[in-house]
Amino acid sequence: MKTSKQTKEAASSRNSFSGRIGYVLAVAGSAVGLGNIWRFPYLAAKYGGGMFLLIYLLLMVTFGYVLIVSETALGRMTRKSPVGAFHAFGKSLPFHFGGWTNAIVPMLISPYYCVIGGWVFKYLVEYLKGSVNQLASDDYFTGFIASSGTVQLWFVLFALLVFFVILAGVKQGVERVSKIMMPILVLLAIFVAGYSITRPGALEGVKYFLIPNLKDFSWMTVVAAMGQMFYSLSIAMGVLYTYGSYIGKDVDIEKSTTQVEIFDTGIALLGGMMIIPAVFAFSGGDLSTLQAGPSLTFITLPKIFASMGAGTLVGIAFFLMFFFAALTSAISLVETSVSSIEDEFHWSRPKCCLLMCAVMAVVGTLSSLGYGVLDFVQIFGMAFLDFFDFLTNSIMMPLAALSTCILIIRVVGFKKIAEEIEISSRFRRKKLYIFFLKYLAPVCIGIILISSIANVLGFISL
Ligand code: PHE
């Protein structure tokens, strides 16, 4: 049994954020990444533009809010990352399941995240070499993605960089640089979005992105929007438990949640504004690019840059910032995975990194080659990268989120969560919180989960 003095010491040695601002910046650094500039625009383009946006926003202020607050509060209450946090309340099978579904998600996302990070890296280097016009040509991306050796090379380089930063202990340095880069990324994104929406024909795209149209609604819109909300806000993957375990009891959890949500969504909106109107402007009437999926950002941004006066310069600057945003998020994903392994198995750090390297090599290689030499392998009609993305976002994250909801409803109780939040501030949206968590969240997550599984197995068509 720990004495209260020991507990206090343990708590304070785990406090590594300097107050709320430090915490908000750290979470925002993890939240803002490929999700905002790569994933959000392609999903919004594909799944109904304004309708997708509306559903995304609704989900974010309800589920997203409830889940961020819950995970952070549980992390701060138990001072543990997800597996430990679930174990703090029980050791039977459901607790293992809940903790581990949260912990395994980042292990599965990290590899394909680094594959996309590799694409960004490759494009940055191409802009540095001055290939602004080649990159904008119609089949550059398709050619690149099919050349397996090249894709694999950039994936490995990006992944090595991530491990290097983690093992060499220069993470702080990278995060400091990225804090300078992030405001520049925002300014650049505003500039590019401004340029993009003023192109002839782009207005149609702005309308498509911002105005919801009922005819664009499908269940897939809801499934995709929910997965994206988890992904972009780093929910249901153990990250917020871990971050919550590092914050002091003085941090206002509700207020920081709101700030992180505003920041992350703002950048996703900018991502959409840069890319979707440009698809309309540069398509020459053929809107099939809207369905392009993961390649959309890489096809569209180069076209925008090539049409600008100083395209090379803007391309270099943009991809440099984009690269840093991806790097900090990848570091946070790999770091979370490594620390879950460390916490549970009590192995040395290099050994944990080695295990993560192995997972990375297998899952990452499959993802990177899935559009090239391995394109004959399709899992439920998806290439490897799309499959891992679907598996984590549409199946495992809903399961992880559901586990958190059940843990609170059945075991921890609202009272304890409320007490945890009220240590630092009034619990302003307490009634809303209880209502969503108790009634809406489990039912909706359940429906989404079942319908996405049924969809992929071909029982229903969403
Ligand atoms: N939220 C990040 C993004 O949008 C992805 C991420 C998830 C990063 C979890 C770190 C931890 O790109």
Side-chain angles (χ1 to χ4, degrees), residues 218-293:
S218 79
W219 276 107
M220 212 40 214
T221 312
V222 187
V223 172
M226 190 162 88
Q228 173 60 15
M229 179 199 76
F230 289 148
Y231 188 99
S232 190
L233 292 168
S234 314
I235 299 171
M237 41 182 116
V239 174
L240 297 167
Y241 280 93
T242 312
Y243 279 25
S245 76
Y246 292 132
I247 54 173
K249 296 283 186 194
D250 54 333
V251 172
D252 182 335
I253 295 181
E254 273 193 289
K255 198 166 182 180
S256 19
T257 301
T258 311
Q259 286 172 339
V260 168
E261 285 198 323
I262 293 176
F263 197 70
D264 188 70
T265 308
I267 301 192
L269 281 175
L270 277 176
M273 277 301 210
M274 284 192 300
I275 289 164
I276 298 178
V279 173
F280 283 74
F282 294 101
S283 69
D286 170 19
L287 290 179
S288 57
T289 324
L290 281 180
Q291 304 297 323

Side-chain angles (χ1 to χ4, degrees), residues 30-31 33-36 113 231-232 234 237 239 329 332-333:
S30 145
L34 293 171
N36 309 63
Y113 204 89
Y231 188 99
S232 190
S234 314
M237 41 182 116
V239 174
S329 292
S332 135
L333 275 167

Side-chain angles (χ1 to χ4, degrees), residues 336-412:
T336 311
S337 316
V338 169
S339 56
S340 292
I341 305 173
E342 248 179 335
D343 278 2
E344 280 326 292
F345 299 131
H346 305 291
W347 291 352
S348 70
R349 208 170 160 75
K351 195 170 165 190
C352 299
C353 281
L354 214 63
L355 174 65
M356 209 28 226
C357 262
V359 175
M360 196 84 135
V362 176
V363 179
T365 302
L366 290 175
S367 308
S368 90
L369 304 184
Y371 298 118
V373 284
L374 293 180
D375 70 351
F376 61 93
V377 189
Q378 298 271 316
I379 313 174
F380 301 116
M382 290 175 260
F384 277 111
L385 194 148
D386 301 63
F387 172 72
F388 288 122
D389 190 71
F390 175 82
L391 177 70
T392 46
N393 285 271
S394 302
I395 299 187
M396 295 186 66
M397 291 190 203
L399 275 177
L402 196 60
S403 309
T404 299
C405 294
I406 296 175
L407 179 72
I408 295 178
I409 299 169
R410 301 283 299 269
V411 184
V412 183

Side-chain angles (χ1 to χ4, degrees), residues 289-303:
T289 324
L290 281 180
Q291 304 297 323
S295 51
L296 187 68
T297 295
F298 294 87
I299 296 175
T300 312
L301 277 179
K303 289 204 191 331

